[in-house]
Amino acid sequence: IEIDRETGFSAHLSHAGGSSPRRPELEHRRNLYAAILAQACNFGTSRMAELTGIPADAIDWTTEWYLREETLRPANTSIVNAHHRHPLAGAWGGGTLSSSDGLRGVADLRIASGGGASRPREEPGEHRWSRNWSRTPAYGSRLESRRGRSPRG
């Protein structure tokens, strides 16, 4: 709610048919925030309904009619832009640099590909590579086999 006050992201979450909310403003926002959290936290609507007391069909309806790619993209952009305007953001760069980071985990790739169970061993392993740009959240992640090559090449 505080982030919405600062960024106005929910103004981008319009009804797919262009109509106004049928519920009072407070109830509409409550349902909208519950739908967003259900998706963001991977709860799903049934679990969110249990946690909040909001009927699952209200959360489902709100998700279907308000949370679409064409509304979520500008809503997310408004949050990223608010981060960029924050005074502390300048301390981390001007938004022109990117970074890549790798996390090494030992795994037997035969297990990951369904090729049968065996003991984990040091090689081959897997690496998860993340890409970040200083003005947006992470924009890429890739899992790859570590068979003697670097993804930087």
Side-chain angles (χ1 to χ4, degrees):
I1 295 170
E2 292 173 19
I3 299 301
D4 193 14
R5 256 189 241 130
E6 291 182 32
T7 65
F9 75 86
S10 68
H12 299 284
L13 303 174
S14 59
H15 187 276
S19 63
S20 298
R22 294 187 243 178
R23 306 268 183 215
E25 181 65 19
L26 188 59
E27 187 177 344
H28 169 69
R29 287 200 182 264
R30 178 201 68 180
N31 293 351
L32 188 60
Y33 296 146
I36 292 167
L37 285 171
Q39 298 299 312
C41 297
N42 255 350
F43 289 149
T45 53
S46 298
R47 180 70 178 135
M48 183 56 80
E50 291 173 17
L51 292 170
T52 62
I54 301 170
D57 62 335
I59 298 171
D60 281 332
W61 185 88
T62 303
T63 300
E64 183 175 341
W65 287 96
Y66 286 88
L67 305 184
R68 305 174 319 280
E69 184 173 349
E70 61 267 18
T71 61
L72 290 170
R73 187 174 302 276
N76 192 36
T77 298
S78 70
I79 294 171
V80 171
N81 288 341
H83 287 159
H84 184 67
R85 287 189 303 269
H86 194 279
L88 187 57
W92 296 102
T96 57
L97 303 175
S98 70
S99 70
S100 297
D101 192 10
L103 176 64
R104 175 101 167 63
V106 177
D108 189 328
L109 296 178
R110 288 182 295 173
I111 294 172
S113 65
S118 66
R119 293 181 334 156
R121 59 183 195 269
E122 188 62 29
E123 290 295 333
E126 63 182 25
H127 283 221
R128 178 163 304 277
W129 296 97
S130 298
R131 272 96 177 147
N132 297 293
W133 184 43
S134 56
R135 288 190 183 175
T136 63
Y139 65 84
S141 183
R142 175 174 77 199
L143 183 66
E144 67 178 41
S145 170
R146 181 77 172 149
R147 296 195 186 259
R149 63 184 188 90
S150 171
R152 291 181 218 127

